[in-house]
Amino acid sequence: MRPLIFMFSLLFITSCTQVPEAVQPVSPFDLTQYLGKWHEISRLDHRFERDLTEVTAHYSIRPDGGVKVINRGLNSETNQWEEAEGKAYFVDAQTKGLLKVSFFGPFYGSYIVAKLEPDYSMALVIGPSLDYAWILARDPNPSAQLCQRYEGYAQDLGVKTSDWISVRACKI
């Protein structure tokens, strides 16, 4: 199994929990509404997710009060499912969408909810730099209008959306 464990850990080892200059974490943020299953709609390419399709993230509460993160995707080359388990904790107030996440030992990196629908149906997540960005949705095939709005917001922040990998199709 390709180490999906590196999904966030390698990119975050040196960057820890920094927030890119143009990015503001969502506030107010309600973790209980954010928990559950999310589908990856678009992402920037990185080795730790290369060839993965049908990617999902599932968030639940850990016994220590943190967040359990299960990332899962189908490797299109091997036709095998890959899964990585991580943990996340708030960096600041629990009403702010700024967390630190780790998939590898003591190394944490930024997980910034930069945009979020009021009903928690779609989110734009940014890592420690604008080179790490994901659009996540509750619906595996959200509306094209919603996808375009989030892509536009990411582009306004400085994310190179011309390099997006569309993991799932948006409804036309």
Coordinates of all heavy atoms in Angstrom, one line a residue, residues 81-129:
W81 N -8.1 -0.1 -2.3 CA -8.4 1.0 -1.4 C -7.2 1.3 -0.5 O -6.6 0.4 0.0 CB -9.6 0.7 -0.6 CG -10.9 0.8 -1.4 CD1 -11.5 -0.3 -2.0 CD2 -11.6 1.9 -1.7 NE1 -12.6 0.2 -2.6 CE2 -12.7 1.5 -2.5 CE3 -11.5 3.3 -1.4 CZ2 -13.7 2.4 -3.0 CZ3 -12.4 4.2 -1.9 CH2 -13.5 3.7 -2.7
E82 N -7.0 2.6 -0.3 CA -5.9 3.0 0.6 C -6.5 3.9 1.7 O -7.5 4.6 1.4 CB -4.8 3.8 -0.1 CG -4.1 2.9 -1.2 CD -3.0 3.7 -1.9 OE1 -2.6 4.8 -1.4 OE2 -2.5 3.1 -2.9
E83 N -6.1 3.8 2.9 CA -6.6 4.5 4.0 C -5.5 4.9 5.0 O -4.6 4.2 5.2 CB -7.6 3.5 4.8 CG -8.4 4.2 5.8 CD -9.5 3.3 6.4 OE1 -10.5 3.1 5.7 OE2 -9.3 2.8 7.5
A84 N -5.7 6.1 5.5 CA -4.8 6.7 6.5 C -5.6 7.3 7.6 O -6.6 7.9 7.4 CB -3.9 7.7 5.9
E85 N -5.1 7.0 8.8 CA -5.8 7.6 10.0 C -4.9 8.7 10.6 O -3.7 8.5 10.8 CB -6.1 6.5 11.1 CG -6.8 7.1 12.3 CD -7.2 6.0 13.3 OE1 -7.4 4.8 12.9 OE2 -7.3 6.3 14.5
G86 N -5.5 9.8 10.9 CA -4.8 10.9 11.5 C -5.6 11.5 12.7 O -6.7 10.9 13.1
K87 N -5.1 12.5 13.3 CA -5.7 13.2 14.4 C -5.6 14.7 14.2 O -4.6 15.2 13.6 CB -5.2 12.7 15.7 CG -3.7 12.9 15.8 CD -3.1 12.3 17.1 CE -1.6 12.4 17.1 NZ -1.0 11.7 18.2
A88 N -6.6 15.4 14.7 CA -6.5 16.9 14.6 C -7.0 17.5 15.9 O -7.8 16.9 16.6 CB -7.4 17.3 13.4
Y89 N -6.5 18.7 16.1 CA -6.8 19.5 17.3 C -6.9 21.0 16.9 O -6.2 21.4 16.0 CB -5.7 19.3 18.4 CG -5.6 17.9 18.8 CD1 -4.6 17.1 18.2 CD2 -6.4 17.4 19.8 CE1 -4.5 15.7 18.6 CE2 -6.3 16.0 20.2 CZ -5.3 15.2 19.6 OH -5.2 13.9 20.0
F90 N -7.8 21.7 17.6 CA -7.9 23.1 17.4 C -6.6 23.8 17.8 O -5.9 23.4 18.8 CB -9.0 23.7 18.2 CG -10.4 23.4 17.6 CD1 -11.2 22.4 18.1 CD2 -10.9 24.2 16.6 CE1 -12.4 22.2 17.5 CE2 -12.1 24.0 16.0 CZ -12.9 23.0 16.5
V91 N -6.2 24.8 17.0 CA -5.0 25.6 17.3 C -5.4 26.7 18.2 O -4.6 27.2 19.0 CB -4.4 26.1 16.0 CG1 -3.2 27.1 16.2 CG2 -3.9 24.9 15.1
D92 N -6.5 27.3 18.0 CA -7.0 28.5 18.6 C -8.4 28.2 19.2 O -8.6 27.0 19.7 CB -7.1 29.6 17.6 CG -6.9 31.0 18.1 OD1 -6.9 31.1 19.4 OD2 -6.8 31.9 17.3
A93 N -9.2 29.1 19.3 CA -10.6 28.9 19.8 C -11.3 27.8 19.0 O -11.2 27.7 17.8 CB -11.4 30.2 19.7
Q94 N -12.2 27.1 19.7 CA -12.9 26.0 19.0 C -14.1 26.5 18.2 O -14.8 25.8 17.5 CB -13.5 25.0 20.1 CG -12.4 24.2 20.7 CD -12.9 23.1 21.6 OE1 -14.1 22.8 21.6 NE2 -12.0 22.5 22.3
T95 N -14.2 27.8 18.1 CA -15.2 28.5 17.2 C -14.5 29.0 15.9 O -15.1 29.7 15.2 CB -15.9 29.6 17.9 OG1 -14.9 30.6 18.4 CG2 -16.7 29.1 19.1
K96 N -13.3 28.6 15.7 CA -12.5 29.1 14.5 C -12.0 27.8 13.8 O -11.5 26.9 14.4 CB -11.3 29.9 15.1 CG -10.6 30.7 14.1 CD -9.6 31.5 14.8 CE -8.7 32.3 13.9 NZ -7.7 33.1 14.6
G97 N -12.2 27.8 12.4 CA -11.9 26.7 11.6 C -10.4 26.6 11.3 O -9.9 26.5 10.2
L98 N -9.6 26.6 12.4 CA -8.1 26.4 12.3 C -7.7 25.3 13.2 O -7.8 25.4 14.4 CB -7.4 27.7 12.8 CG -5.9 27.7 12.8 CD1 -5.3 27.3 11.4 CD2 -5.4 29.0 13.3
L99 N -7.3 24.2 12.5 CA -6.9 23.0 13.3 C -5.4 22.6 12.8 O -5.0 23.1 11.8 CB -7.8 21.8 13.0 CG -9.2 22.0 13.5 CD1 -10.1 22.6 12.5 CD2 -9.8 20.8 14.1
K100 N -4.9 21.8 13.6 CA -3.6 21.2 13.2 C -3.9 19.7 13.1 O -4.6 19.1 13.9 CB -2.5 21.5 14.3 CG -2.8 20.9 15.7 CD -1.7 21.3 16.6 CE -2.0 20.7 18.0 NZ -0.9 21.0 18.9
V101 N -3.3 19.1 12.1 CA -3.6 17.7 11.8 C -2.3 16.9 11.6 O -1.3 17.5 11.2 CB -4.4 17.5 10.5 CG1 -3.7 18.0 9.3 CG2 -4.9 16.1 10.3
S102 N -2.3 15.7 12.1 CA -1.1 14.8 12.0 C -1.5 13.4 11.5 O -2.5 12.8 12.0 CB -0.4 14.7 13.3 OG 0.7 13.8 13.2
F103 N -0.7 12.9 10.5 CA -0.9 11.5 10.1 C 0.4 10.8 10.4 O 0.5 9.6 10.1 CB -1.2 11.5 8.6 CG -2.6 11.8 8.2 CD1 -2.9 13.2 8.0 CD2 -3.6 10.9 8.2 CE1 -4.2 13.5 7.7 CE2 -4.9 11.2 7.8 CZ -5.2 12.6 7.6
F104 N 1.3 11.4 11.0 CA 2.6 10.8 11.2 C 3.3 11.4 12.5 O 3.8 12.5 12.5 CB 3.5 11.1 10.0 CG 4.9 10.5 10.1 CD1 5.1 9.1 10.0 CD2 6.0 11.3 10.2 CE1 6.3 8.5 10.1 CE2 7.3 10.7 10.3 CZ 7.4 9.3 10.2
G105 N 3.2 10.6 13.6 CA 3.9 11.0 14.8 C 3.6 12.4 15.3 O 2.5 12.8 15.3
P106 N 4.6 13.1 15.8 CA 4.4 14.4 16.4 C 4.4 15.5 15.5 O 4.3 16.7 15.9 CB 5.7 14.5 17.3 CG 6.7 13.8 16.5 CD 6.0 12.6 15.8
F107 N 4.4 15.3 14.2 CA 4.4 16.3 13.2 C 3.0 16.8 12.8 O 2.2 15.9 12.4 CB 5.2 15.9 11.9 CG 6.6 15.5 12.2 CD1 6.9 14.1 12.2 CD2 7.5 16.4 12.6 CE1 8.2 13.7 12.4 CE2 8.8 16.0 12.8 CZ 9.1 14.7 12.8
Y108 N 2.7 18.0 13.0 CA 1.4 18.6 12.7 C 1.5 19.6 11.6 O 2.5 20.3 11.5 CB 0.8 19.2 13.9 CG 0.3 18.2 14.9 CD1 1.1 17.7 15.9 CD2 -1.1 17.8 14.9 CE1 0.6 16.7 16.8 CE2 -1.6 16.9 15.8 CZ -0.7 16.4 16.7 OH -1.2 15.4 17.6
G109 N 0.4 19.8 10.9 CA 0.3 20.9 9.9 C -1.0 21.5 9.9 O -2.0 21.0 10.5
S110 N -1.1 22.6 9.2 CA -2.3 23.4 9.2 C -3.4 22.7 8.4 O -3.2 22.1 7.4 CB -2.1 24.7 8.5 OG -1.1 25.5 9.1
Y111 N -4.6 22.8 9.0 CA -5.9 22.4 8.3 C -6.8 23.6 8.5 O -7.3 23.8 9.6 CB -6.4 21.2 9.0 CG -7.7 20.6 8.3 CD1 -7.7 19.6 7.5 CD2 -8.9 21.2 8.6 CE1 -8.8 19.1 6.9 CE2 -10.1 20.7 8.0 CZ -10.0 19.7 7.2 OH -11.2 19.2 6.6
I112 N -7.0 24.4 7.5 CA -7.7 25.7 7.6 C -9.0 25.6 6.8 O -8.9 25.4 5.6 CB -6.8 26.8 7.1 CG1 -5.5 26.9 7.8 CG2 -7.6 28.2 7.3 CD1 -4.4 27.5 7.0
V113 N -10.1 25.7 7.5 CA -11.4 25.8 6.8 C -11.5 27.2 6.4 O -11.8 28.1 7.2 CB -12.5 25.3 7.7 CG1 -13.8 25.3 6.9 CG2 -12.3 23.9 8.2
A114 N -11.3 27.5 5.1 CA -11.2 28.9 4.6 C -12.6 29.4 4.1 O -12.8 30.6 4.0 CB -10.2 29.0 3.5
K115 N -13.4 28.5 3.7 CA -14.8 28.8 3.3 C -15.7 27.6 3.6 O -15.3 26.5 3.4 CB -14.8 29.2 1.8 CG -16.2 29.6 1.3 CD -16.2 30.2 -0.1 CE -17.5 30.7 -0.5 NZ -18.1 31.8 0.3
L116 N -16.9 28.0 4.0 CA -17.8 26.9 4.4 C -19.3 27.4 4.2 O -19.6 28.5 4.5 CB -17.6 26.6 5.9 CG -18.4 25.5 6.6 CD1 -18.0 24.2 6.0 CD2 -18.0 25.5 8.1
E117 N -20.0 26.5 3.6 CA -21.5 26.8 3.4 C -22.2 26.9 4.7 O -21.8 26.1 5.6 CB -22.1 25.8 2.5 CG -21.8 25.9 1.0 CD -22.2 27.2 0.5 OE1 -23.5 27.5 0.3 OE2 -21.4 28.0 0.2
P118 N -23.1 27.8 4.9 CA -23.9 27.9 6.2 C -24.5 26.5 6.6 O -24.5 26.3 7.8 CB -25.0 28.9 5.9 CG -24.4 29.7 4.8 CD -23.6 28.8 3.9
D119 N -24.8 25.7 5.7 CA -25.4 24.4 6.0 C -24.3 23.3 6.1 O -24.7 22.1 6.2 CB -26.5 24.0 5.1 CG -26.0 23.7 3.7 OD1 -24.8 23.9 3.4 OD2 -26.9 23.4 2.8
Y120 N -23.1 23.6 6.0 CA -22.0 22.7 6.1 C -22.0 21.7 5.0 O -21.7 20.5 5.2 CB -21.9 22.1 7.5 CG -21.4 23.0 8.6 CD1 -22.1 24.2 8.9 CD2 -20.1 22.8 9.2 CE1 -21.6 25.1 9.8 CE2 -19.7 23.7 10.2 CZ -20.4 24.8 10.5 OH -19.9 25.7 11.4
S121 N -22.4 22.1 3.8 CA -22.5 21.2 2.7 C -21.3 21.2 1.8 O -21.0 20.3 1.0 CB -23.7 21.5 1.8 OG -23.7 22.8 1.3
M122 N -20.5 22.3 1.8 CA -19.2 22.4 1.1 C -18.2 23.2 1.8 O -18.6 24.1 2.5 CB -19.5 23.0 -0.3 CG -18.2 23.0 -1.2 SD -18.6 23.5 -2.9 CE -19.0 21.8 -3.6
A123 N -16.9 22.8 1.6 CA -15.9 23.5 2.3 C -14.6 23.6 1.4 O -14.4 22.8 0.6 CB -15.5 22.8 3.6
L124 N -13.9 24.7 1.6 CA -12.6 24.9 1.0 C -11.6 24.8 2.1 O -11.7 25.5 3.1 CB -12.5 26.3 0.3 CG -11.1 26.6 -0.2 CD1 -10.6 25.7 -1.3 CD2 -11.0 28.1 -0.6
V125 N -10.7 23.8 2.0 CA -9.7 23.6 3.0 C -8.3 24.0 2.4 O -8.0 23.5 1.3 CB -9.7 22.1 3.5 CG1 -8.5 21.9 4.5 CG2 -11.0 21.8 4.1
I126 N -7.5 24.7 3.2 CA -6.2 25.1 2.8 C -5.2 24.6 3.8 O -5.5 24.5 5.0 CB -6.1 26.7 2.7 CG1 -7.2 27.3 1.8 CG2 -4.7 27.1 2.3 CD1 -7.0 27.1 0.3
G127 N -4.0 24.2 3.3 CA -3.0 23.7 4.2 C -2.1 24.8 4.6 O -2.5 26.0 4.6
P128 N -0.8 24.5 4.9 CA 0.1 25.6 5.4 C 0.5 26.6 4.3 O 1.0 27.6 4.6 CB 1.3 24.8 5.8 CG 1.3 23.5 5.0 CD -0.2 23.2 4.8
S129 N 0.2 26.3 3.0 CA 0.5 27.2 1.9 C -0.6 27.0 0.9 O -1.4 26.1 1.0 CB 1.9 27.0 1.3 OG 1.8 25.9 0.4

